[in-house]
Amino acid sequence: MLYEGIDMVVLPVSDLASASATFERLGLVVTPEQVNPNSRFAIRKIPIGGPDNLFCIEILSIATPADAATPNGQRLLARADKGLSQLMLRVVDLDAALAELAERGVQPQARVEGVFDGDKQYDVALLQPMADAATGLGLIQYTRSQQQRYDGYAALGQHATPLKRLDHVAAVAPDLETSCRFWDDVLGVPTVGEVISPTTVVRQLRIGDAMFELLGPATPDSPIRQRPPGLNSMFSVEVPDLDATIAHAQAAGFEVADRRVGTLPGTIVATIPGAQTNGLNVQLLQYTQ
């Protein structure tokens, strides 16, 4: 496989301080703000997992009001406060991964360096728009090892809300069969499982320690047919004790909806609706077997 894992999802927001404060109130550690001098984006991250399955939610905004007038700033603000915009996959060798994808007809749309205070932390390649992928995609290669990155995040403290690891993120794929073939034949990630509910067909694609799910309609009148294609503004995170996590979130002032048996066999889930968390639905998931 080309990819080590699902590295991050990108959450564009109009107010970085307010969005970050919401997640901090939930009991999550958010990294200090950094500004990339090239893109003029201000970034804070929520790290989840350990050195073997590290994943981040990247909260992204413009750095200053003046940056709103730049092309980069205008593109970001057009996506702000509307949920997730990008799925980033981690690779060991970015040039080698791009060369292999180029043989299958996939080209990068842009390449960006993550340089903060003169320190280069990563290289990113944003891939060309691909409708069959059902999401915007980028590849990222870090200059530090996963252990070094994890140690840096761990030094900031531990989440008060215990989160074990990313379980899955998902995208709506109107033509499910075509998208699954594209991920397998072109992107090199085969389908490894399927879960069917009364309204939805879930195809599971394993990337590292987590799943990327493609969601398609199970019936002609499935509500998923009314949803726009693209990355679902949700991430599902495994927790050790669902009831305790729900109680913690409620004590922090969050409403938690939909405690139920999960769609995935052997799970129970509950969701913090995105209206409370900057458009990002937070699904809490516990494995019961």
Side-chain angles (χ1 to χ4, degrees), residues 50-102:
D52 295 329
N53 53 17
L54 192 56
F55 164 78
C56 289
I57 301 164
E58 181 176 87
I59 312 172
L60 195 67
S61 189
I62 55 173
T64 69
D67 295 315
T70 67
N72 271 351
Q74 291 175 348
R75 283 191 291 269
L76 188 148
L77 290 176
R79 300 193 305 264
D81 307 320
K82 297 178 182 178
L84 299 178
S85 69
Q86 194 86 7
L87 179 69
M88 302 296 298
L89 305 180
R90 188 173 61 255
V91 297
V92 175
D93 187 328
L94 182 59
D95 290 331
L98 290 175
E100 186 169 336
L101 289 174

Side-chain angles (χ1 to χ4, degrees), residues 25 245-254 256:
R25 181 165 61 87
T245 306
I246 291 172
H248 180 89
Q250 290 172 331
F254 290 87
V256 182

Side-chain angles (χ1 to χ4, degrees), residues 110-132:
R111 290 192 65 160
V112 182
E113 290 185 344
V115 180
F116 303 92
D117 298 325
D119 178 25
K120 181 178 175 179
Q121 298 182 11
Y122 55 77
D123 284 300
V124 161
L126 301 177
L127 301 184
Q128 65 192 54
M130 300 173 289
D132 291 339

